Each structure stands twice: as structure tokens, then as C-alpha cells.
Amino acid sequence: MADPRFFKRAGPFRLRELAAAANAELSQGADPERLIHDVAPLDSANGEQVSFLDNKRYLPKLGGSGAGACLLEPAYVERAPPGMALLVTRKPYRGYALVTQLFYPRPRVAAGIHPTAVVHAEARIADSAAVAAYAVVEAGAEIGERCSIGAHSVVGAGVVIGEDTVIGTHVSLEYCLIGRGCQIHAGARIGARGFGFTLDPEGFLDVPQVGRVVIGNGVEIGANSTVDRGAAPDTVIGDGTRIDNLVQLGHNVQVGRNCILIAQSGVAGSTKLMDYVTLAAQAGIAGHLTLEKGAKVAAKSGVMRDVQAGETVGGIPAMPLRDFFRLVVSWQRQLQEKSDRDE
Amino acid sequence: MADPRFFKRAGPFRLRELAAAANAELSQGADPERLIHDVAPLDSANGEQVSFLDNKRYLPKLGGSGAGACLLEPAYVERAPPGMALLVTRKPYRGYALVTQLFYPRPRVAAGIHPTAVVHAEARIADSAAVAAYAVVEAGAEIGERCSIGAHSVVGAGVVIGEDTVIGTHVSLEYCLIGRGCQIHAGARIGARGFGFTLDPEGFLDVPQVGRVVIGNGVEIGANSTVDRGAAPDTVIGDGTRIDNLVQLGHNVQVGRNCILIAQSGVAGSTKLMDYVTLAAQAGIAGHLTLEKGAKVAAKSGVMRDVQAGETVGGIPAMPLRDFFRLVVSWQRQLQEKSDRDE
Amino acid sequence: MADPRFFKRAGPFRLRELAAAANAELSQGADPERLIHDVAPLDSANGEQVSFLDNKRYLPKLGGSGAGACLLEPAYVERAPPGMALLVTRKPYRGYALVTQLFYPRPRVAAGIHPTAVVHAEARIADSAAVAAYAVVEAGAEIGERCSIGAHSVVGAGVVIGEDTVIGTHVSLEYCLIGRGCQIHAGARIGARGFGFTLDPEGFLDVPQVGRVVIGNGVEIGANSTVDRGAAPDTVIGDGTRIDNLVQLGHNVQVGRNCILIAQSGVAGSTKLMDYVTLAAQAGIAGHLTLEKGAKVAAKSGVMRDVQAGETVGGIPAMPLRDFFRLVVSWQRQLQEKSDRDE
């Protein structure tokens, strides 16, 4: 179970309540009134807890699991041990998310401005918002209803934050407009000066960066990630996009809706990611490119050309992932042939 | 135009003033007294705005642009639409930088120490410097004329900062000497303990890191970048060098003058970069190497040997970039041959 | 010598004292009572200073060095210049660490809570601990004897920190338990929400992350590194493990004892590193894998499969390092053959 030092649990809930929340069907023989007290992983769950099976890799753990209930796909029903109540759904991980939200609802931070926060007289903070210790809110900033601003965060002059957005600790927000329902985690830097200067041998010369960062609704930005403001156009992040930790977005980058950018990936200036683009961890995208809708980039890849809609690429430089895998196979054959010759 | 919420615009300026600032020649027929009110990108500029064309990629946008004026190279004069005033220069991006500095001069932060700043009695802060809310300045630190220290930054004991240097928010400065006219962006960590310890199986043992970080004049360091202090020699960054976001420099690294280190690149301990070295994004350099003057490293490359003056390398492990490109071509041919055989 | 602005030196010490501290044997003819005042690198050390030779690369500097004493291996004794006192040991770098700890003992921060720190009434802070300016310590947090909490750090609700642990400036600690004698450097983010959500086309859905980060004793975590808390199991870091700057650990990652994770490396969710695993710089490990005891991953590699005990892997995708080197040789031959054909 979750450490009560950190997490407050709701419940218990009846199996029928969990099934309803998860949009799952309760298996025959299971008692809909049975109480479940918590979520837990398959290998440590007990009879009062609900678990889930989403990744085939963990199928061997199902048979020996002591979980009282389990969310799983129809295909695995036969593999479950007798006595385990099954919550059958084609989307067990989504079901698990919904059930876990039931047990562990997001804590609501009490509204109010901590006495140590420095708030400019010309900033506007909604009454229902929370501003933590030592936060700084500068002139003209606007913070929406039910927002939470973490300790030590700085909301720069003119920055606008939509309703229900949660800002972690030590976040810097400058030159940006942020939508509703976003989560920006500790140490993220939004709106710093882009890397814009001329390369003259007589000395580099700053190009003033007079664009903004415009962030849609429901966006998540991970800890210590950096998003530079635009040079003159804006840097843009579309609704629903999820950005992990230590990710870098250069100036003028446009990211569409519902994209996923995994940890330590980076996008160079003026590149455009359309909707539903995925960058796996440590991927890098060169500047001035377009990745069309649904494009996927494998981990550690280096993309140096446009990517077509729905295409998956990998390697350095990135090529269709299928080709990259064929290339890897041909390398392995080279090594094998050499070994054979050497014998 | 830049969002007035964030940026204060100067001007308007006459075409002849812009030409003078940009070191450009005004095209025949253009009225030198015509007023220009702002800068803007080619595709959104109107008749009162000046744009620029620097990257051939954007040439198709020139003909249809409504910009009142445009900075461009002599070669593209014929491609401009009639009625557009041309500011002709061999360095249009430099010209744009100069013109933009005219419209958007760097805002001067009002001098003074915020009442919430904690300043040690033995720190020296110039009268013209600005120290923002919740900054901490420790014993023996010295902050020069016209410096600006961002909210929540910590200027550690003994740290010296030269004139006109701008420190962003949430910056940590320890064990370092910083020159004049530098910009250190939000969340940068300068002078943390280097990764120095012995590898004994009986347990690792810390090697005290008793060097400093010595930073020249006009250096830029990006958001959330990390520069460790030296182990015994210093970690050094030369005048004019530009470092992007999330870059890592290990202990004892020496970076020359006017180098460019792009986002998420990293340099391992005791490696030396001479003047005018460029590391593209996500490049990595092993320890104890030397990259001679003007060496260039392609994005995502891994350098495991010294690099000669003026040489450009790429790949993992890095080889002359020309060879890397030939290698990529040979991989593509391998794939093609295999496809042909498979048909 | 170390800059007295930043470092306080102890000593001087006699050669016999240094030999005892370093577990080294003093060379014949050296005066055990001779006073040594400092440590210094081979090429700048003077007659009152002790240096060390650990890396063969620096052997050419030995003969011309003016160091009064030098820690080195028996094999290099003959290469030292006459008059240099030799401290002979099979582990000169370890000896240097011990001697340097003698000259530069870790400064003890004075106990006490800075008047600007915000400490919740229900937090427990040991009398001998130091809490710096603007630190925030939330409800239920526990800080052990002789700990030091840096300026602007946030110790979240319920966080436990063991004795003698040093937290740098601007660190965020949430949902974590930290052992004794750890060092967590500036800007590290421990316990942020993991990147957990479902991928439904109807919109992503947060999976509440209800695990913790559990950190053992003697662990070092570098500047601006990020360690996400577990999804339901914990994220775990074992005793003695050393983590460099800008490293990313995803949710549920388990790192064993005495591992080394070098700068900008990253480990995806639910992967397990057993004891003594080394990740070189910028390496990336995919999720749900196991790296067995003593596995080593070369810099910039991408690991997509389990790694056996003691195995060293490299390349993208990672293969046995020996194979990767053979592959590189075969690439070089390809290039050479092509050059020959082209002539």
C-alpha cells in the first residue's frame, strides 16, 4: 500500500464500484459487494487489494498472485488463479488509472497566499488559488482559479496561468501564457532566452528574443525541462501534450496536441511537431524540420529530415525504423561472418 | 509584433536609421524617411514592419511577404516583391540582430537590493547592481556595477561577479569567478562538487574538489546547465563562449574563447576545447582529450579521440564527418542490395 | 594551491603523516619529518606540495615536475626526478583522496535554523543540523543529526533524511526517504510525479503515482538530476551509489549498491540495475530490463535488452563492447575499400 506518510487513501470501495469506475466487467462468481481497500502490484498484492496486468511480460506473476482482484484483458481470464475476482476490460491500464484515482484522489491544496510569498500589487491571483512559501509573483501576472504555485516558484511579469494548473517547486515562468489543467514539475524553466545570436568572427551578437511560450490546456512538463521562448514567433505546446524530465525545446519550436516527449529528448529551434508525435527518450530533432501527425521517433535517434505522417524512424541519422532494424541485422551478420572466417 | 505584456518596444525608426544600424545599403527607390515600427517574421510582417531572409529554406516566403522592409543578401534582391524596401547586406541575420536591439533594447533592471534578499555583512554589492527577491549573497561575495541577480539565486561565499553580468532566477553560484557582461540563465548550477571519487571495491572515497570555476567575459550559460568546479586545477570557460540549456561540463574542463556548446551536449572531466570549437546538440566528449581550434562536432556524436584544428567530426565513435556520411551512404546501399536480393 | 577565498587548508603535515594517511610507503632517502603544505597537480606543484600520478597519460609530466612529493605506483618509481619524495602505493588516486581529505576536511556547517527558513511545527529537525536561508521544511519531515539543508531547498511533507546527509541549494525533496551520509547537489529533483498516464486516443489519463523514492546510505546525486517517485512500487537507490549531474531515473527504477551513473545518462521506468553497475555518460537504458551485477554500459549506448553479470556493452542498440569495436573496425575497412576503389 502507499506510504500513509505521503499519501491519503480513500475507500474502501466495493468491487461493483471499481468495475463501474474502470468501465470493466466483473467476472462470474465474484461478489460485487466485496470490499477492496487499495491498489498494489501483482507480486505484493493481498486479498484486500486490486492489481492489474497490462504488460505480457508480467503474465507469469498472475498465477501466483494473492491479489483479491485484478484488472486484465479478456484473453488472460483463464490464466488467473481461482478465487481472484477479475475486472475484465480491453484497457486494463486505463482501468487501473481510474481505480487508482478513486483510491488516491489528487490532494487539494488549501487556497491562500503564504505570508512569505512576494506578490506584486498589480498581479491578479484568484481567491481559490494557492501560492506557497517564498513564491514570487510579478507585476501583471494572472493566476487562475484553483491553481497551485509551489514553494520558491517565480511567476514572471505578465505571465498568465489558466484554471486548475499546478506549478511545482522552484519553477521559473517568464514570457509565457499557460492554459488550464496543466502540471509543470519542479525546476522546469519556461521562457528563458533562446540560443539566438549571430556567429560573426568579430564576436557573437545577441538577437533579442521577443517571442513567448504559449502552452495549451492539460499539458504536463517534467522536472528540470527547459522551454525557450520564441525569437519573434512563439514557442508553442498544444493541448494535452506530455513532456517528461530534462527535455529541451528550442526557440520557435511548435509542438502539436497530445504529443509525448520522453526524458532527455530535445528539439532544435523552429522545428514543428504535428499532433500525436512521440519522441522516445534521448531522441534529438534538428532544427527547421516538420514531423507530421503521428510520427514516432525511437529512443536515442537523431532526426535530420522531415518525417511523414505515421512514420516511425530510428537510428542516427534516423531512417525508417524497419530499415534501421534490418541494418542492425546486417551488422550482426558481418560480425558473424568475420568470426567464422577467423576460426 | 512582440506581446506588449512582456516587451517594451522603442521606435518607430526611419529606414535610413535601420540601414545605418544594420550596416546595410538601402535599395534604390526606397524612401529613407519611411517609418518602420517593428520587426516581424516574413510570413506575418506587414507594411510597417521589417523582416529578414537569412536561410535559403525560407526564400519561397519572400515573394508573398507583406513586409514593408527586409534585410537580405545581394543575391536575393531580384526575388523580393515590388514595393518592399530592401536593406541589403552580406550579413542579414547580423543586421536583423542590430535592428532588433534597436526596437527592443535590453530592459534595465532598477538598481537596489530587494528587502527580502539575504546579504551577508561581508559581501560587497555595487550601488548600481540589482538583487531580486529572496536572493542570497554570502560572505565575501562581490557583485559588480550594473549586475542583476535574479530572484532566488544564491551567490555563494567568495564568489566574484564582474560588471554588467545578468544572473537569472534560481541560479546556484559556488566556488566561481565570473567575468563581465555574462548571462547565466535560470537554474544553472555553477561550481558544484565534481564527480571525483576513487573506485575501490571496499567503497568509494570522495576526492575533495578544491578547484574553482573561472568564467571569462561575455559568456552565456543556458538554463539548467551544470558546470562542476575543478578537482585541483580550475574548470575554465573562455571569453565570449555560448553555452545552451542542459549542458554538462565536468571538473577541470577547459573551454576556449567563442566556443558554442548546443543543448544537452556534455564534456567529461579534464578535456580541453580550444577557441571557436562547436559542439552540436547532444554531442558528448570523453575525458582527457583536446579539441583544437575551430573543431566542430556534429549533433549526437561521441568523441573518443583528439580532434585536429578545423576538423569536423561526427558519428559514434566520431570520425571525420565526410567519412561518417560516406558510411551512411554505404549502409543505405547495403539495405538497397538486400532489398533487391529479397525481391 | 586552492583559492583561500573558497577553501580552508589544514596542515602542514609531515611526510610520515601523509604516508600513514595514504597507506603508502615513503621512498628511501626521503625525510619523514619534511613538511608538506598542500596538494597540487604535477605540472604546477612546488617543493612544498604533494602531487600524484594515476593516469599513464600524465607520465611525461613526472620527470619535469617540481613537486616535493608524489603518490605513485611502484612501477613508476624509477621515472621520478631525483629529490622528489615518493609515497609509493598500488592505489595512488586513493592515496591522493586520503591526503587531500587531510588538507581540506569537509567544512562543518554551523548547526541551527536560519531565521528565514520556514519550518512546519510538526517537522523534526535534529539540534545539530543546519538549515539555511529560505529553506522550507514541511509537516512531518524529519532531518537527522549533523545534516545540512542548503538555501532554498524544499523538504516536502513526510520526507525523512538520515544523519550526516548534505543537501545542496535549490533541491526539491518530495515523497522520499533518504539515508545517512548522502550528498544531494544543487537543483536535484527527487520524488516528482513519474511519467505515468494512459495513451487513450480519447485523451491521456493520469495514473496516480503513489510510490516513493527510497535512497540508501552514502549515495551521491548530482546537480539538476531527476529521480521520479514510484508508480506503486518504490524507486530505489542502493547504498554507496554515485549519480552524476543531469541524470534521469524513471519511476520504479531500482539501482543497486555502489553503482556509478555518469552525467546525462538515463534509465527508463521499472528497469533494475544490480550492484556495481556502471553507466557511462549519456547512456540510455530502456524500461523493464535487468542489468546484472557489475554490468558496464559504454558512453552514449542504448541498451534494449538485459545485460549479464560483468558484461560490458556498447553501441546503439548495445551489444558486447568487443563486438561493437569489431563493428567499428569493419566500418573503417568498408570506408578504406571504397577509397581504394575510387582512386
Side-chain angles (χ1 to χ4, degrees):
Chain A
M1 64 172 286
D3 187 338
R5 190 188 280 276
F6 300 116
F7 302 97
K8 253 200 197 116
R9 196 180 52 193
F13 298 97
R14 293 174 196 288
L15 275 175
R16 61 172 167 78
E17 294 173 299
L18 300 185
N23 231 331
E25 201 167 328
L26 194 57
S27 56
Q28 287 200 334
D31 173 8
E33 302 303 320
R34 179 167 167 192
L35 284 172
I36 296 291
H37 292 256
D38 205 349
V39 294
L42 267 181
D43 51 5
S44 69
N46 66 34
E48 296 195 325
Q49 297 175 327
V50 56
S51 194
F52 76 108
L53 174 69
D54 182 57
N55 186 331
K56 223 190 306 188
R57 200 188 302 253
Y58 298 112
L59 188 52
K61 296 191 171 182
L62 180 61
S65 173
C70 185
L71 290 142
L72 43 57
E73 289 181 56
Y76 300 136
V77 164
E78 300 300 317
R79 310 283 289 269
M84 184 186 277
L86 304 183
L87 296 153
V88 184
T89 163
R90 298 208 174 274
K91 296 181 173 176
Y93 190 50
R94 184 176 173 86
Y96 173 75
L98 291 161
V99 161
T100 308
Q101 288 181 3
L102 218 59
F103 282 108
Y104 297 96
R106 191 186 288 184
R108 183 132 312 294
V109 180
I113 300 177
H114 193 277
T116 61
V118 171
V119 177
H120 194 279
E122 285 164 40
R124 285 190 293 172
I125 302 180
D127 287 344
S128 56
V131 177
Y134 295 126
V136 173
V137 183
E138 299 184 345
E142 300 177 25
I143 297 176
E145 298 289 344
R146 296 171 303 281
C147 282
S148 166
I149 309 297
H152 290 109
S153 283
V154 175
V155 182
V159 167
V160 177
I161 304 177
E163 303 165 8
D164 298 299
T165 282
V166 177
I167 308 291
T169 69
H170 305 97
V171 172
S172 319
L173 305 174
E174 313 173 85
Y175 307 97
C176 60
L177 308 178
I178 301 176
R180 295 189 305 277
C182 296
Q183 308 176 60
I184 302 193
H185 297 299
R189 311 292 165 203
I190 313 296
R193 212 188 95 78
F195 204 51
F197 53 87
T198 68
L199 290 176
D200 272 69
E202 64 235 65
F204 305 146
L205 191 69
D206 273 2
V207 179
Q209 303 287 299
V210 298
R212 306 168 301 181
V213 179
V214 179
I215 298 177
N217 302 320
V219 170
E220 181 170 17
I221 299 181
N224 284 350
S225 286
T226 55
V227 181
D228 284 347
R229 69 178 182 268
D234 293 320
T235 302
V236 178
I237 302 176
D239 292 351
T241 282
R242 301 279 181 155
I243 299 177
D244 201 351
N245 298 340
L246 294 170
V247 170
Q248 150 76 0
L249 301 185
H251 55 187
N252 310 341
V253 163
Q254 294 183 47
V255 179
R257 285 172 300 164
N258 293 321
C259 293
I260 300 175
L261 280 65
I262 301 181
Q264 297 175 317
S265 58
V267 183
S270 301
T271 278
K272 197 169 178 176
L273 276 55
M274 307 303 286
D275 299 345
Y276 291 99
V277 166
T278 298
L279 307 186
Q282 301 184 340
I285 317 296
H288 300 277
L289 300 179
T290 299
L291 278 64
E292 299 288 349
K293 187 174 175 182
K296 287 190 168 57
V297 178
K300 293 199 90 76
S301 307
V303 177
M304 306 188 60
R305 61 159 178 83
D306 292 345
V307 181
Q308 301 306 311
E311 196 182 355
T312 299
V313 299
I316 306 173
M319 57 194 83
L321 187 62
R322 198 187 48 243
D323 285 351
F324 179 65
F325 284 146
R326 289 168 58 216
L327 187 60
V328 171
V329 167
S330 86
W331 291 342
Q332 289 163 338
R333 201 172 37 229
Q334 267 171 258
L335 286 174
Q336 189 52 48
E337 284 167 6
K338 185 164 178 344
S339 291
D340 293 349
R341 274 202 311 276
D342 292 352
E343 268 163 24
Chain B
M1 62 173 288
D3 188 338
R5 191 188 279 276
F6 300 116
F7 302 97
K8 254 202 196 112
R9 196 179 53 193
F13 298 98
R14 295 175 194 286
L15 276 175
R16 63 175 166 77
E17 293 174 299
L18 300 185
N23 230 332
E25 200 167 327
L26 193 57
S27 56
Q28 286 200 333
D31 174 7
E33 302 303 321
R34 181 169 166 188
L35 284 171
I36 296 292
H37 292 256
D38 206 348
V39 294
L42 266 182
D43 51 5
S44 69
N46 65 35
E48 295 195 323
Q49 296 174 329
V50 57
S51 194
F52 76 107
L53 174 69
D54 182 56
N55 187 330
K56 224 192 305 190
R57 201 187 301 251
Y58 297 111
L59 188 53
K61 297 192 170 182
L62 180 62
S65 172
C70 185
L71 290 141
L72 44 57
E73 288 181 58
Y76 300 135
V77 164
E78 300 301 316
R79 310 283 290 269
M84 184 186 276
L86 305 182
L87 295 154
V88 184
T89 164
R90 296 207 175 275
K91 298 181 172 174
Y93 190 50
R94 184 176 174 87
Y96 173 75
L98 292 161
V99 160
T100 308
Q101 288 182 0
L102 218 58
F103 282 108
Y104 297 97
R106 191 186 288 185
R108 183 134 309 298
V109 181
I113 299 176
H114 193 277
T116 61
V118 171
V119 178
H120 194 280
E122 285 164 41
R124 284 190 294 172
I125 302 180
D127 287 344
S128 57
V131 177
Y134 295 126
V136 173
V137 183
E138 299 183 346
E142 299 178 25
I143 298 178
E145 298 289 344
R146 295 170 304 280
C147 281
S148 167
I149 308 297
H152 290 110
S153 283
V154 175
V155 182
V159 167
V160 177
I161 305 177
E163 303 166 6
D164 299 299
T165 282
V166 177
I167 307 292
T169 70
H170 305 98
V171 172
S172 320
L173 305 175
E174 312 173 85
Y175 307 96
C176 60
L177 308 178
I178 301 177
R180 294 187 305 277
C182 295
Q183 307 175 61
I184 301 192
H185 296 299
R189 312 292 165 203
I190 313 295
R193 211 187 96 79
F195 203 52
F197 52 88
T198 68
L199 290 175
D200 272 70
E202 65 235 63
F204 305 146
L205 190 70
D206 273 1
V207 178
Q209 303 286 298
V210 298
R212 307 167 300 179
V213 179
V214 179
I215 298 177
N217 302 319
V219 170
E220 182 169 15
I221 298 180
N224 284 350
S225 287
T226 54
V227 181
D228 284 346
R229 69 177 183 269
D234 293 320
T235 302
V236 179
I237 302 176
D239 293 350
T241 282
R242 301 279 183 156
I243 298 176
D244 202 350
N245 299 339
L246 294 170
V247 170
Q248 150 76 358
L249 301 186
H251 55 186
N252 311 343
V253 164
Q254 293 183 48
V255 179
R257 284 171 301 163
N258 294 319
C259 292
I260 300 174
L261 280 64
I262 300 182
Q264 298 174 316
S265 57
V267 183
S270 301
T271 278
K272 196 168 179 177
L273 277 54
M274 306 303 285
D275 299 345
Y276 292 99
V277 166
T278 298
L279 307 186
Q282 300 183 340
I285 317 295
H288 299 277
L289 301 179
T290 300
L291 279 64
E292 298 288 349
K293 187 174 175 182
K296 288 189 168 57
V297 178
K300 293 199 89 77
S301 307
V303 177
M304 306 188 59
R305 60 158 180 83
D306 292 345
V307 181
Q308 299 308 310
E311 196 181 355
T312 300
V313 298
I316 306 173
M319 56 195 82
L321 187 61
R322 199 188 46 243
D323 285 350
F324 180 65
F325 284 147
R326 288 168 59 216
L327 185 61
V328 170
V329 167
S330 86
W331 290 342
Q332 288 164 338
R333 201 174 36 230
Q334 266 172 259
L335 286 173
Q336 189 50 49
E337 284 166 8
K338 183 164 180 345
S339 292
D340 292 348
R341 275 202 310 276
D342 292 351
E343 267 164 25
Chain C
M1 62 174 286
D3 187 338
R5 189 189 280 277
F6 299 116
F7 302 95
K8 255 203 196 113
R9 195 178 53 193
F13 299 97
R14 294 175 195 285
L15 276 176
R16 61 175 167 76
E17 294 173 299
L18 300 184
N23 229 332
E25 200 167 329
L26 193 57
S27 56
Q28 288 198 331
D31 173 9
E33 301 304 321
R34 180 168 166 189
L35 285 171
I36 296 292
H37 291 257
D38 205 350
V39 293
L42 267 182
D43 50 4
S44 69
N46 65 35
E48 296 195 324
Q49 297 174 328
V50 57
S51 194
F52 76 108
L53 174 69
D54 181 56
N55 186 330
K56 222 192 308 191
R57 199 188 302 255
Y58 296 112
L59 187 54
K61 295 190 172 182
L62 180 62
S65 172
C70 186
L71 290 140
L72 42 57
E73 289 180 57
Y76 299 136
V77 164
E78 300 300 317
R79 308 284 290 268
M84 185 187 275
L86 305 182
L87 295 153
V88 184
T89 163
R90 297 209 175 273
K91 298 183 172 175
Y93 190 49
R94 185 175 173 86
Y96 173 75
L98 292 161
V99 161
T100 308
Q101 288 182 0
L102 217 59
F103 282 108
Y104 297 97
R106 192 186 287 186
R108 181 130 319 292
V109 181
I113 299 176
H114 193 275
T116 62
V118 171
V119 177
H120 194 280
E122 286 164 41
R124 285 190 292 173
I125 301 181
D127 287 345
S128 56
V131 178
Y134 296 127
V136 173
V137 183
E138 301 183 343
E142 300 177 26
I143 297 177
E145 298 289 344
R146 296 170 303 281
C147 283
S148 167
I149 308 297
H152 290 109
S153 283
V154 175
V155 181
V159 167
V160 177
I161 305 177
E163 303 165 6
D164 299 299
T165 282
V166 176
I167 307 292
T169 70
H170 306 96
V171 171
S172 320
L173 305 174
E174 312 173 86
Y175 306 97
C176 59
L177 309 178
I178 301 177
R180 295 188 305 277
C182 296
Q183 307 176 62
I184 302 193
H185 296 299
R189 312 292 165 202
I190 313 296
R193 212 188 95 77
F195 205 52
F197 51 88
T198 69
L199 289 177
D200 271 71
E202 64 234 65
F204 305 146
L205 191 70
D206 273 1
V207 179
Q209 303 287 297
V210 298
R212 307 167 297 178
V213 180
V214 179
I215 298 177
N217 301 320
V219 170
E220 181 169 17
I221 298 181
N224 285 348
S225 287
T226 55
V227 181
D228 284 347
R229 69 177 182 266
D234 294 320
T235 302
V236 178
I237 302 177
D239 292 350
T241 281
R242 301 279 183 157
I243 299 177
D244 201 351
N245 298 340
L246 294 169
V247 169
Q248 150 76 0
L249 301 186
H251 54 188
N252 310 344
V253 163
Q254 294 182 47
V255 179
R257 286 172 299 164
N258 294 319
C259 293
I260 299 175
L261 281 64
I262 300 182
Q264 298 175 316
S265 57
V267 182
S270 301
T271 279
K272 197 168 178 176
L273 276 55
M274 306 303 285
D275 299 345
Y276 292 99
V277 166
T278 298
L279 307 186
Q282 300 184 341
I285 317 295
H288 299 276
L289 301 179
T290 300
L291 279 64
E292 299 288 349
K293 186 174 175 181
K296 287 190 168 55
V297 178
K300 293 200 88 79
S301 306
V303 177
M304 307 188 61
R305 59 158 180 84
D306 292 344
V307 181
Q308 300 308 310
E311 196 183 354
T312 299
V313 298
I316 306 172
M319 57 195 82
L321 187 62
R322 198 187 49 242
D323 284 350
F324 179 65
F325 284 146
R326 288 169 59 216
L327 186 61
V328 170
V329 167
S330 87
W331 291 341
Q332 287 163 339
R333 200 174 35 230
Q334 265 171 260
L335 286 173
Q336 188 51 49
E337 285 167 5
K338 184 164 179 346
S339 291
D340 292 349
R341 275 201 310 276
D342 293 352
E343 268 163 25

Coordinates of all heavy atoms in Angstrom, one line a residue, chain A residues 11 61 72 146 148 178 190 228 253 271 278 290 306 308 312 320 322 324 330:
Chain A
G11 N -11.6 5.2 0.3 CA -12.2 3.9 0.3 C -12.4 3.4 1.6 O -12.4 4.1 2.6
K61 N 3.5 -13.6 -13.4 CA 3.2 -13.3 -12.0 C 1.8 -13.5 -11.6 O 1.4 -13.4 -10.5 CB 3.6 -11.9 -11.7 CG 5.1 -11.6 -11.9 CD 5.6 -10.3 -11.3 CE 7.1 -10.2 -11.3 NZ 7.6 -8.9 -10.7
L72 N -7.7 -7.0 -16.0 CA -7.0 -7.7 -17.1 C -7.8 -7.8 -18.4 O -9.0 -7.6 -18.4 CB -6.4 -9.0 -16.7 CG -7.3 -10.0 -15.9 CD1 -8.5 -10.3 -16.6 CD2 -6.5 -11.2 -15.6
R146 N -8.2 27.9 -8.6 CA -7.8 26.6 -8.1 C -6.4 26.2 -8.6 O -6.0 25.1 -8.5 CB -8.8 25.5 -8.5 CG -10.2 25.6 -7.9 CD -11.2 24.7 -8.5 NE -11.3 24.9 -10.0 CZ -12.0 25.8 -10.6 NH1 -12.7 26.7 -9.9 NH2 -12.0 26.0 -11.9
S148 N -2.3 26.0 -8.2 CA -1.4 25.9 -7.0 C 0.0 26.2 -7.5 O 0.5 25.7 -8.5 CB -1.5 24.5 -6.5 OG -0.4 24.2 -5.7
I178 N 0.0 30.1 -20.0 CA -0.1 28.7 -19.7 C -1.6 28.4 -19.6 O -2.3 29.2 -18.9 CB 0.6 28.3 -18.4 CG1 2.1 28.6 -18.6 CG2 0.4 26.9 -18.1 CD1 2.9 28.4 -17.4
I190 N 10.6 27.8 -18.1 CA 9.7 28.1 -19.2 C 10.0 29.6 -19.6 O 9.8 30.4 -18.8 CB 8.2 27.9 -18.9 CG1 8.0 26.6 -18.2 CG2 7.4 28.1 -20.1 CD1 8.3 25.4 -19.0
D228 N 12.5 27.2 -24.3 CA 12.9 28.6 -24.6 C 11.8 29.4 -25.2 O 11.0 28.8 -26.0 CB 14.1 28.6 -25.5 CG 15.4 28.3 -24.7 OD1 15.4 28.3 -23.5 OD2 16.4 28.0 -25.4
V253 N 10.0 26.4 -31.5 CA 9.5 25.1 -31.7 C 8.0 25.1 -31.6 O 7.4 25.8 -30.7 CB 10.1 24.1 -30.7 CG1 9.4 22.8 -30.6 CG2 11.6 23.8 -31.1
T271 N 11.6 23.8 -35.3 CA 11.0 22.6 -35.8 C 9.6 22.5 -35.3 O 9.2 23.0 -34.3 CB 11.9 21.4 -35.3 OG1 13.0 21.3 -36.2 CG2 11.1 20.1 -35.3
T278 N 5.4 11.2 -31.2 CA 6.1 10.7 -30.0 C 7.6 10.7 -30.2 O 8.1 10.3 -31.2 CB 5.7 9.2 -29.7 OG1 4.3 9.2 -29.5 CG2 6.4 8.6 -28.5
T290 N 9.8 19.3 -40.0 CA 8.4 19.1 -39.7 C 8.3 17.6 -39.5 O 8.7 16.8 -40.3 CB 7.5 19.5 -40.8 OG1 7.7 21.0 -41.0 CG2 6.0 19.3 -40.4
D306 N 12.6 15.7 -42.5 CA 11.2 15.7 -42.2 C 10.7 14.2 -42.0 O 11.3 13.3 -42.6 CB 10.3 16.3 -43.3 CG 10.6 17.9 -43.4 OD1 11.2 18.4 -42.4 OD2 10.2 18.5 -44.4
Q308 N 7.3 11.7 -42.2 CA 5.9 11.7 -42.8 C 4.9 11.2 -41.7 O 5.3 10.6 -40.7 CB 5.9 10.6 -43.9 CG 6.8 11.0 -45.0 CD 6.6 12.4 -45.5 OE1 5.5 12.8 -45.8 NE2 7.7 13.2 -45.6
T312 N 7.5 5.7 -38.4 CA 8.4 5.5 -37.3 C 9.8 5.5 -37.7 O 10.1 4.7 -38.6 CB 8.0 4.2 -36.5 OG1 6.6 4.3 -36.1 CG2 8.9 4.0 -35.3
P320 N 13.7 5.0 -41.7 CA 12.5 4.2 -41.2 C 13.0 3.1 -40.2 O 14.0 2.4 -40.5 CB 12.0 3.6 -42.5 CG 12.4 4.6 -43.6 CD 13.7 5.1 -43.1
R322 N 12.1 0.2 -39.5 CA 12.3 -1.1 -40.2 C 13.6 -1.3 -40.8 O 14.3 -2.3 -40.7 CB 11.2 -1.3 -41.2 CG 10.8 -2.6 -41.7 CD 9.8 -2.5 -42.8 NE 10.3 -1.5 -43.8 CZ 9.7 -0.4 -44.1 NH1 8.5 -0.1 -43.6 NH2 10.2 0.5 -45.0
F324 N 16.3 0.5 -40.1 CA 17.3 0.5 -39.0 C 17.5 -0.9 -38.5 O 18.6 -1.3 -38.3 CB 17.0 1.5 -37.9 CG 18.0 1.6 -36.8 CD1 19.3 2.0 -37.1 CD2 17.7 1.1 -35.5 CE1 20.2 2.0 -36.1 CE2 18.6 1.1 -34.5 CZ 19.9 1.6 -34.8
S330 N 22.1 -6.7 -40.4 CA 23.2 -6.9 -41.4 C 24.6 -6.7 -40.7 O 25.6 -7.3 -41.0 CB 23.1 -6.0 -42.6 OG 23.6 -4.7 -42.3

